[in-house]
C-alpha cells in the first residue's frame, strides 16, 4: 500500500484480555517501529525492527508486551493480560534502512486501545 | 533526561497570520536530525519538515520553515499564512547519530487557528 496500515483502528478490551495489533509498513521499508502515545502526550518508543530482527525492545513497558515481525514485513504487537494503564494509541511507523539520521519515519493512523 | 522540550502546551493564531512553535533539544551527538510532525484529531502523525544537523540552510517546505539555531539547540517551526486546517497537535522530534533506532518526541503544542 501507499502508507503504513494498522489494524484494528479501534479496540476495546476487557481487563485481562489479550490483544494483537497489526502493522503493514510501507513497501521497501526495512525499519519498523512501534510507539505508544497516551492521551495528551507525545509518542513514546516501544521497539524497533530491522527486517525480521528485533534490534531494540528497550521501550516495552513490561513482559506483557511482545512484538514480532517474522518475515520482515508485517509486524504484530501483542499485549497480554491487558490493564487499564495500557489504554493508549499504538502507532506503527516505518522508514528506509538506517545509517542516516535523516531518514524520515512515516506513521500509520494508529490503533486506539481502550481497556475497560 | 528530557531530550526534546516544547514549552507551549497551546497556541492560538489568527487565520492568515504566521505562528512560531518552539522546540529545544539536547544531544551530545554531532550528527542528528530534527523533525516536525502534525497530528490532527484523526490521530495520524503527518511528517512536515526535516532539518539535518549539518545543514547550513534552514529547511523550508511550502508554508513550513524551520528556524534552526544550532548553538542554542533550538529548532522552531514557523507556519506562514495559517489556515483553519492547520489546527492540530504539533510534535518536534529528534533522531540522533548513525544506526540509531529511536526517535524522541516532545510533549507537543496544540495549535488553534481562529477565523
Amino acid at each position: 500500500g501507499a502508507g503504513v496500515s494498522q489494524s484494528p483502528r479501534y479496540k476495546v478490551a476487557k481487563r485481562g484480555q489479550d490483544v494483537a495489533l497489526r502493522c503493514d509498513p510501507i513497501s521497501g521499508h526495512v525499519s519498523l517501529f512501534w510507539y505508544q502515545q497516551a492521551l495528551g502526550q507525545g509518542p513514546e518508543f516501544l521497539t524497533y525492527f530491522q527486517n525480521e530482527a528485533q534490534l531494540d525492545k528497550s521501550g516495552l513497558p513490561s513482559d506483557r508486551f511482545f512484538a514480532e515481525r517474522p518475515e520482515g514485513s508485517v509486524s504484530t504487537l501483542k499485549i497480554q493480560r491487558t490493564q487499564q494503564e495500557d489504554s493508549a494509541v499504538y502507532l506503527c511507523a516505518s522508514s528506509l534502512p538506517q545509517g542516516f539520521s535523516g531518514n524520515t519515519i512515516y506513521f500509520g493512523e494508529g490503533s486506539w486501545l481502550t481497556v475497560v | 533526561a528530557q531530550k526534546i522540550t516544547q514549552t507551549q502546551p497551546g497556541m492560538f493564531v489568527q487565520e492568515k497570520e504566521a505562528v512560531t512553535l518552539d522546540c529545544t533539544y539536547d544531544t551530545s551527538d554531532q550528527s542528528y536530525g530534527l523533525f516536525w510532525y502534525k497530528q490532527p484529531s484523526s490521530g495520524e502523525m503527518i511528517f512536515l519538515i526535516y532539518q539535518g544537523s549539518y545543514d547550513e540552510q534552514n529547511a523550508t517546505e511550502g508554508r513550513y520553515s524551520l528556524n534552526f539555531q544550532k548553538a542554542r539547540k533550538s529548532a522552531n517551526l514557523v507556519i506562514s499564512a495559517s489556515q483553519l486546517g492547520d489546527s492540530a497537535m504539533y510534535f518536534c522530534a529528534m533522531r540522533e547519530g548513525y544506526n540509531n533506532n529511536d526517535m524522541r518526541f516532545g510533549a507537543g503544542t496544540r495549535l488553534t487557528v481562529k477565523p
Side-chain angles (χ1 to χ4, degrees):
Chain A
V4 179
S5 177
Q6 292 188 247
S7 62
R9 285 277 283 132
Y10 303 94
K11 175 71 177 178
V12 178
K14 291 185 178 180
R15 189 167 50 184
Q17 184 180 353
D18 296 350
V19 300
L21 308 176
R22 175 190 168 103
C23 173
D24 198 343
I26 293 172
S27 178
H29 281 191
V30 303
S31 298
L32 186 145
F33 309 78
W34 283 98
Y35 284 81
Q36 180 190 58
Q37 186 177 20
L39 190 64
Q41 298 182 21
E44 295 283 342
F45 171 79
L46 292 178
T47 187
Y48 162 74
F49 290 86
Q50 184 165 319
N51 294 306
E52 69 278 4
Q54 188 175 20
L55 299 185
D56 188 344
K57 53 182 181 179
S58 61
L60 296 176
S62 77
D63 58 7
R64 297 186 295 104
F65 287 72
F66 171 77
E68 61 182 5
R69 194 186 185 195
E71 297 180 358
S73 56
V74 172
S75 176
T76 304
L77 177 67
K78 297 179 180 178
I79 308 172
Q80 297 176 324
R81 305 181 303 282
T82 53
Q83 300 177 4
Q84 283 190 317
E85 60 261 33
D86 299 335
S87 296
V89 178
Y90 291 86
L91 293 165
C92 178
S94 69
S95 77
L96 290 169
Q98 287 186 331
F100 177 53
S101 60
N103 284 338
T104 298
I105 295 178
Y106 295 93
F107 286 82
E109 292 184 311
S111 290
W112 300 58
L113 173 65
T114 302
V115 181
V116 298
Chain B
Q2 189 68 29
K3 293 232 176 188
I4 297 287
T5 302
Q6 294 180 254
T7 58
Q8 307 153 314
M11 288 283 286
F12 291 88
V13 64
Q14 205 68 36
E15 191 178 9
K16 299 181 184 177
E17 293 185 351
V19 62
T20 297
L21 306 183
D22 295 342
C23 172
T24 58
Y25 59 92
D26 181 29
T27 181
S28 56
D29 282 349
Q30 295 301 309
S31 175
Y32 52 90
L34 297 159
F35 303 80
W36 277 91
Y37 286 85
K38 172 184 178 182
Q39 188 176 45
S41 56
S42 62
E44 184 179 5
M45 297 285 283
I46 302 168
F47 166 72
L48 295 178
I49 194 167
Y50 159 78
Q51 179 84 43
S53 58
Y54 294 119
D55 294 343
E56 295 185 351
Q57 303 264 10
N58 284 344
T60 60
E61 290 285 349
R63 294 186 298 110
Y64 304 109
S65 60
L66 200 151
N67 184 0
F68 181 45
Q69 299 187 41
K70 194 170 182 177
R72 298 179 61 183
K73 293 187 176 179
S74 75
N76 298 340
L77 176 70
V78 180
I79 305 175
S80 62
S82 297
Q83 302 172 358
L84 295 179
D86 293 336
S87 294
M89 284 290 289
Y90 287 81
F91 291 96
C92 179
M94 177 174 65
R95 206 172 177 183
E96 298 173 276
Y98 290 95
N99 294 320
N100 64 81
N101 50 32
D102 186 4
M103 179 178 278
R104 301 281 180 166
F105 285 81
T109 296
R110 179 168 297 281
L111 177 67
T112 302
V113 180
K114 299 188 289 186

